[in-house]
């Protein structure tokens, strides 16, 4: 205690820091499997309850128990929710990483740490708060086995005191987090109190970081993108779900299973209005999805990059045989074991043209939890309208982290089941061919098994407009051209690009998906630091439409921000746009596996625009 | 027989349909291919059972076998999928519409090699589907390479000898919990028709492996999947008579000479015992017979194993009676109150 007070006084003497209110970044370094996630969410939720915009990001390696994991919580009065690189408050609970964690901090940061680690010896430009966790937990919990699980809640108490979160707020967050686990609640409350009281009696606040209540979160919800997508699927009336577990998409189907079990059981019969199959692999998962889509069900699967690779052949079949399917791809880094718990936008190209032969698929690109919901809903309509597989490209950051969001809207539109053949249509058409373009939009009428309409033989191989086997070059070409017409029809049916910021000059920035939040913040940084007011256009789907070209035409140059190495979206634009427009595009790429941050984008654009690099934003 | 009578009234089945709607397009397989005979038996079985073709979905993977759905039940919906993955398409389709009757056509490569994973899991799930393997021990469509059901020591035309043991799809299916497992020979019209009708009466997956010689690549001396070899080594487990639920039994049999298996739909399978007692409802017995006949270089045919009342995948999933595919909006979109409750839970 004395040591820390001295160190803190020294640090304070060197750089008397003004208070920093509602604008800092907390990082908790723990060991996974130690109940730290619950403790982190309590802290996260308490800040949300105080009305302060907050984001939480779990930065975790691929292990289940006993290895390092980090969680960052960013409070931002300005509403920034992207990852922030600089850590302002560190909670060092893991002896294995503590030294590196402390050495990596900017001067002036605060460190709460497990006393025996003596981290205060490492630096003299930080504010140290030692806490004897083992001693405190021994007093709270007599059962040695349980201690490990509630020990982390102590730092919630310590931080509540240090950062100015009221006892009521943090207790409310704890109660909400634990839900109905009554037994666990008492023990956790005691641990929380013990941390709070210890800080109150033994620690003197020296660092500048404090929280003050605001009114920026009222009415909002906290939800992760996977749960949002699951909810969208349920509200879209999904009836067949086939999946294979894979990080980071598993929680999408698991949440969906929970929702469906609760809300989609027929009240009269007690029977399910849905089928969920945990398939033997992703090939079977997409096969079941396509089989169900062919037979008329709203069907989906959810996966990540390795699963997408396995789905390649079937997806091509879906494209050629024209079968609706919704495929959620919660993107992650790398093939095989790669970095399965790290985020990326690495499947843009592979999904856009997945399979062999000439294939092009519809991609939806949600950038928020709200869009994970609304685009999930939309994907089922598009899949049936265009009779084709539709990808929803989320990512680990969006899918697995909790996000603030406005509550979602209850859907009021009826389902768009697309062009289904019925007696009236058959009468009007006179004769029907499964792959005959009678409306000029490239979309033919389809019949379903059991609907009483004429049957057809569905196949991926060469077929004529009547769905009969054919290897005639004319038939094949005609079919491919009609598929192109269909794809062109989709351009204005998918969500179009949106101008998120109107700038002042001729420089634009283009982004999509979870990069959105960092780009918004970067736009502000560029404006504040260099007077550069970019026009920011956010892509929401592939294929592109005229709104994208209009935007590019307005600009002299456009920075395309992506979370991959190979500028995948830019490459896709290269396939679709004219050389003049392509010449205006410049890549800003981040592919470290952590969620992209604003500073990386800002520094890159500033350098390219010929400005001096701004000094690191030390808040 | 009055074969000379002019313009006889065409035969109709119990639902008043002639044979024509049960036929398909002209086959493109080789003349004499066992698969064509199997298509004929399928036509017979569906016709005689009086199943409306539009209630049927035909599924297949890739290979000669997988072309065959085009050659029967022209009025049925069909889906020719990708190699070895027909079970997954069938699973999705049947879950989407449980009212349809599914028949999947596979081959020994499509099932035993590339598709063995999906085959294994289909057998575990007991999805209601008839799963036929047209088994010729070779890849006909790519010019005769050995498939995983080729017997050890069987010879190709080129003289190349197969040096790996075969996958016995029937034994594998039984091990995996399949509820109806049969083997037949494309040249045994009576037995195959009876087996197919029994398969149509079964609840759950009916797996039927049919030895179906490839006349072009695997019908020579030295092949263990040739017509001549199959005729010499076919070891029927007994004489099969199938009595559908809609017909009275008019077959006389001595008590003790015939085992009667009651299928889930009320149809009956009469198995006249040959030399030894054989009980097709005994899983261990079934495996023993498969192993013993194979050791004698013979193959047992007939209904090898049946578990008529095992619950199927539809029941396991507790699905509503109506097809999921066409449930109206109000049954698949939870009400506003439910939605609000979910939103509230995220505050």
């Amino acid at each position: 205690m004395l040591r820390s007070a001295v160190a803190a006084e020294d640090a304070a003497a060197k750089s008397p820091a003004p208070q920093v209110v509602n604008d800092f970044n907390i990082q908790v370094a723990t060991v996974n499997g130690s109940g730290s996630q619950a403790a982190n969410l309590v802290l996260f939720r308490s800040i949300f309850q105080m009305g302060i915009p907050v984001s939480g990001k779990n930065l975790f390696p691929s292990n289940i128990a006993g290895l390092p994991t980090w969680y960052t919580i960013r409070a931002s009065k300005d509403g920034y929710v992207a990852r922030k690189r600089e850590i302002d408050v560190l909670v060092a609970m893991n002896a294995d990483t503590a030294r590196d964690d402390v050495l990596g901090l900017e001067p002036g940061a605060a460190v709460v740490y497990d006393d025996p680690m003596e981290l205060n010896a490492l630096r003299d430009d930080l504010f140290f708060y030692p806490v004897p966790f083992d001693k405190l937990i021994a007093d709270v919990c007599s059962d040695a086995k349980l201690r490990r699980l509630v020990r982390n809640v102590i730092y919630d108490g310590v931080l509540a005191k240090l950062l100015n979160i009221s006892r009521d707020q943090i207790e409310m967050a704890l109660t909400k987090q634990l839900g109905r686990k009554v037994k666990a609640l008492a023990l956790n409350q005691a641990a929380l109190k013990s941390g709070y009281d210890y800080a109150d009696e033994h620690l003197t606040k020296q660092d500048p970081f404090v929280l003050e209540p605001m009114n920026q979160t009222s009415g909002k919800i906290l939800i992760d993108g996977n749960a949002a997508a699951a909810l969208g699927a349920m509200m879209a009336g999904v009836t067949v779900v086939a999946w294979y577990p894979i990080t980071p998409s598993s929680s999408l189907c698991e949440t969906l299973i929970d929702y469906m079990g609760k809300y989609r059981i027929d009240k009269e019969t007690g029977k399910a209005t849905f089928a969920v199959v945990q398939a033997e692999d992703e090939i079977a998962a997409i096969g079941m999805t396509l089989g169900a889509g062919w037979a008329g069900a709203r069907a989906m699967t959810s996966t990540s990059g390795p699963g997408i690779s396995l789905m390649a052949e079937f997806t091509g079949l879906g494209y050629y045989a024209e079968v609706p399917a919704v495929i959620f791809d919660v993107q992650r880094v790398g093939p095989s074991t790669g970095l399965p718990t790290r985020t990326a936008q690495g499947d843009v190209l592979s999904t856009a043209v997945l399979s062999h032969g000439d294939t092009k698929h519809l991609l939806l690109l949600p950038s928020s939890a709200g869009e994970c919901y609304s685009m999930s809903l939309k994907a089922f309509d598009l899949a049936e309208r265009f009779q084709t597989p539709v990808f929803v490209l989320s990512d680990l950051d969006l899918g697995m982290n909790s996000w603030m969001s406005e509550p979602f809207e209850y859907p009021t539109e009826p389902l768009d089941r697309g062009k289904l053949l019925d007696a009236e249509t058959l009468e009007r058409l006179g004769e029907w061919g499964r792959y005959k373009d009678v409306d000029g939009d490239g979309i033919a009428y389809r019949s379903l098994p059991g609907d009483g309409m004429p049957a057809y033989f569905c196949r991926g191989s060469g077929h004529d407009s009547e769905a009969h086997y054919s290897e005639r070059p004319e038939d094949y070409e005609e079919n491919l051209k009609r598929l192109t017409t269909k794809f062109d029809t989709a351009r204005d049916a998918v969500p179009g690009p949106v101008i998120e910021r109107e700038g002042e000059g001729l420089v634009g920035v283009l982004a999509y998906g979870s990069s959105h939040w960092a780009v918004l913040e970067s736009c502000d940084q560029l404006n504040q630091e260099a007077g550069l007011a970019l026009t920011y256009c956010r892509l929401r789907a592939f294929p592109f439409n005229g709104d994208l070209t209009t935007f590019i035409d307005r600009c002299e140059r456009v920075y395309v921000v992506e979370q991959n190495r190979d500028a995948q979206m830019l490459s896709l634009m290269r396939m679709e746009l004219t050389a003049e427009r392509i010449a205006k595009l410049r890549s800003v790429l981040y592919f470290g596996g952590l969620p992209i941050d604003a500073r990386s984008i800002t520094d890159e654009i500033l350098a390219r625009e010929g400005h001096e690099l701004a000094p690191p934003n030390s808040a | 027989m009055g074969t000379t009578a002019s313009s006889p009234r065409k035969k109709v089945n119990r639902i008043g349909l002639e044979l024509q709607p049960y036929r398909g397009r002209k086959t493109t397989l080789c003349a004499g291919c066992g698969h064509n005979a199997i298509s004929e038996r399928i036509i017979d079985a569906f016709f005689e059972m009086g199943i409306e073709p539009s209630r049927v979905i035909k599924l297949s993977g890739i290979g000669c076998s997988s072309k065959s759905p085009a050659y029967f039940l022209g009025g049925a919906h069909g889906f020719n999928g990708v190699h070895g993955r027909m079970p997954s398409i069938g699973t999705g389709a049947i879950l989407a519409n449980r009212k349809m009757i599914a028949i999947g056509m596979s081959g020994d490569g499509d099932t035993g090699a590339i598709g063995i994973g999906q085959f294994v899991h289909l057998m575990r799930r007991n999805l209601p589907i008839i799963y036929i393997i047209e088994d010729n021990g070779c890849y006909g469509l790519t010019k005769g390479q050995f498939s995983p059901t080729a017997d050890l020591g069987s010879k190709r035309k080129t003289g190349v000898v197969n040096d790996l043991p075969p996958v016995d799809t029937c034994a594998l299916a039984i091990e995996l919990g399949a509820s109806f497992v049969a083997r037949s020979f494309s040249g045994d019209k009576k037995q195959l028709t009876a087996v197919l009708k029994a398969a149509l009466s079964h609840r759950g997956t009916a797996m039927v492996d049919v030895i179906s010689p490839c006349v072009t690549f695997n019908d020579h001396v030295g092949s263990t999947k040739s017509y001549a070899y199959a005729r010499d080594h076919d070891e029927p487990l007994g004489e099969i008579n199938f009595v559908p639920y809609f017909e009275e039994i008019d077959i006389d049999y001595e008590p003790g000479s015939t085992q009667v298996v009651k299928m889930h739909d009320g149809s009956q399978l009469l198995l006249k015992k040959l030399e030894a007692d054989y009980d097709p409802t005994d899983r261990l017995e079934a495996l023993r017979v498969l192993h013993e006949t194979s050791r004698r270089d013979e193959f047992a045919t007939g209904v090898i194993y049946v578990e008529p009342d095992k619950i199927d995948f539809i029941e396991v999933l507790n699905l509503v009676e109506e097809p999921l595919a066409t449930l109206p909006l109000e049954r698949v979109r939870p009400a506003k109150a439910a939605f609000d409750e979910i939103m509230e839970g995220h505050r």
Side-chain angles (χ1 to χ4, degrees), chain A residues 219 222 235 263 266 280 410 458, chain B residues 78 125 331 333-334 341 346:
Chain A
L222 288 178
M235 301 312 288
Y263 298 107
D266 197 73
E280 53 270 36
Y410 184 76
C458 178
Chain B
R125 293 190 181 109
R331 294 188 66 190
R333 176 176 285 167
E341 183 179 286
H346 282 282

Side-chain angles (χ1 to χ4, degrees), chain B residues 264-291:
Chain B
H264 192 74
D265 72 351
S267 300
Q268 294 184 80
L269 198 54
L270 309 183
L271 305 160
K272 190 173 171 193
K273 295 169 183 176
L274 292 181
E275 288 160 27
D277 276 357
Y278 182 70
D279 178 2
T281 62
D282 181 337
R283 181 178 293 182
L284 286 178
E285 171 84 347
L287 287 169
R288 184 185 62 77
V289 164
L290 284 172
H291 285 291

Side-chain angles (χ1 to χ4, degrees), chain A residues 167-184:
Chain A
R167 274 181 196 267
D168 288 352
Q169 287 290 7
I170 196 101
E171 277 189 14
M172 201 162 90
L174 179 70
T175 309
K176 176 97 182 168
Q177 181 62 33
L178 293 178
R180 280 163 294 185
K181 297 173 194 162
V182 180
K183 258 191 188 167

Side-chain angles (χ1 to χ4, degrees), chain A residues 179-502:
Chain A
R180 280 163 294 185
K181 297 173 194 162
V182 180
K183 258 191 188 167
L185 184 61
L187 193 56
N188 278 281
Q189 278 171 332
L192 187 70
K193 183 172 185 300
S194 146
Y196 193 97
D197 290 346
Y198 180 84
D200 195 18
E201 290 161 27
H202 300 279
L203 303 177
T204 308
K205 174 78 174 175
Q206 299 284 339
D207 68 87
F209 306 106
V210 291
L211 295 167
E212 282 177 9
M214 291 176 77
N215 189 24
Q216 295 295 308
T217 66
S218 70
K220 286 196 164 68
I221 58 168
L222 288 178
I223 191 166
D224 60 78
N226 283 352
L231 184 55
M234 178 169 73
M235 301 312 288
V238 70
T239 48
V240 177
V241 182
W243 69 296
Y244 187 77
I246 181 170
T247 304
S249 92
S250 300
S251 66
L252 198 162
C253 281
E254 283 170 334
T255 308
L256 182 58
I257 291 166
D258 288 346
Y259 284 152
M260 302 274 259
K262 194 166 179 196
Y263 298 107
R264 285 280 298 278
I265 301 294
D266 197 73
K267 285 204 176 68
E268 282 172 25
T269 60
K271 288 179 178 290
T273 61
F274 62 92
V276 181
V277 186
Q278 186 183 317
E280 53 270 36
D281 55 28
E282 288 90 345
I283 302 177
I286 184 66
M288 289 174 195
T289 304
L290 288 170
W294 166 68
R298 293 206 140 190
M300 62 167 272
T301 184
S302 176
T303 188
S304 190
I308 292 293
S309 302
L310 289 181
M311 292 179 184
E313 187 185 19
F314 251 137
T315 305
L317 177 70
Y319 175 81
Y320 276 92
E322 300 181 62
V323 181
V326 174
I327 304 164
F328 292 91
D329 176 8
V330 188
Q331 297 167 95
R332 69 184 218 195
V333 173
S336 178
T337 48
L339 295 175
T341 59
R342 302 299 188 182
T343 196
Q345 296 179 319
D347 299 344
V348 174
L349 271 180
S350 64
T351 49
V353 296
L354 191 65
S355 202
H356 55 281
D358 288 313
T359 46
K360 285 199 273 193
H361 305 293
L362 308 191
L363 314 179
L364 301 186
L365 308 164
S367 67
S368 62
E371 280 188 344
C372 285
Y373 167 73
S374 62
M375 288 189 180
S376 169
L377 264 175
K378 181 86 182 166
F380 288 89
D381 281 354
L382 288 169
E384 289 201 299
R385 169 58 44 188
F386 291 94
Q387 303 172 8
T388 196
V390 174
F391 289 91
V392 183
L393 291 189
S394 172
D395 63 28
L396 182 144
D397 183 22
L398 208 47
M400 288 187 74
N401 287 321
S402 281
W403 297 77
M404 292 185 302
S405 172
E406 291 300 326
F408 306 154
E409 284 184 18
Y410 184 76
T412 50
E413 295 289 308
L415 308 179
D416 180 359
R417 305 299 314 255
K419 290 190 187 178
L420 292 175
L421 189 67
D422 55 23
E424 199 182 312
T425 311
L426 189 57
E427 170 83 24
R428 178 169 61 82
L429 298 178
E431 61 178 17
W432 169 76
R434 168 64 184 95
Y435 298 110
K436 202 177 229 172
D437 181 10
V438 290
D439 297 329
D441 56 3
I443 309 167
Y445 287 84
R446 67 180 185 130
S447 61
L448 305 178
D451 68 358
M453 290 292 104
Y456 70 101
F457 198 85
C458 178
R459 57 180 125 217
S461 51
H463 49 257
D464 62 18
S465 64
E466 311 276 311
H468 293 140
Y469 182 76
S470 168
E471 295 191 16
R472 290 176 65 227
E474 300 78 25
D475 286 338
Y476 198 72
E477 283 181 9
E478 191 183 310
N479 197 44
L480 279 189
K481 285 176 186 164
R482 184 182 52 76
L483 287 167
T484 303
T485 306
K486 188 167 89 164
F487 197 70
D488 286 337
T489 304
R491 289 181 193 281
D492 291 318
V494 298
V498 283
I499 303 295
E500 296 280 358
R501 288 285 171 90
E502 274 297 348

Side-chain angles (χ1 to χ4, degrees), chain B residues 28-84:
Chain B
T28 58
L29 297 171
C30 306
C33 174
H35 300 3
N36 289 330
I38 297 170
S39 293
E40 291 299 319
R41 300 296 81 74
I42 291 170
I43 291 167
D44 292 345
F46 278 78
F47 174 78
E48 287 167 23
M49 290 296 284
I51 292 164
E52 172 78 49
S54 65
R55 283 183 59 212
V56 179
I57 54 176
K58 307 174 292 184
L59 306 147
S60 61
I62 297 294
C64 293
S65 63
S66 297
K67 291 179 155 203
S68 62
Y71 316 137
F72 58 81
L73 301 184
H77 282 262
F79 196 156
N80 185 185
V82 298
H83 202 10

Side-chain angles (χ1 to χ4, degrees), chain B residues 213-230:
Chain B
C214 172
V215 287
T216 305
F217 295 109
N218 209 6
D219 196 28
H220 47 271
V221 175
S223 158
T224 63
K225 291 279 195 288
S226 67
Y227 276 110
Y229 190 94

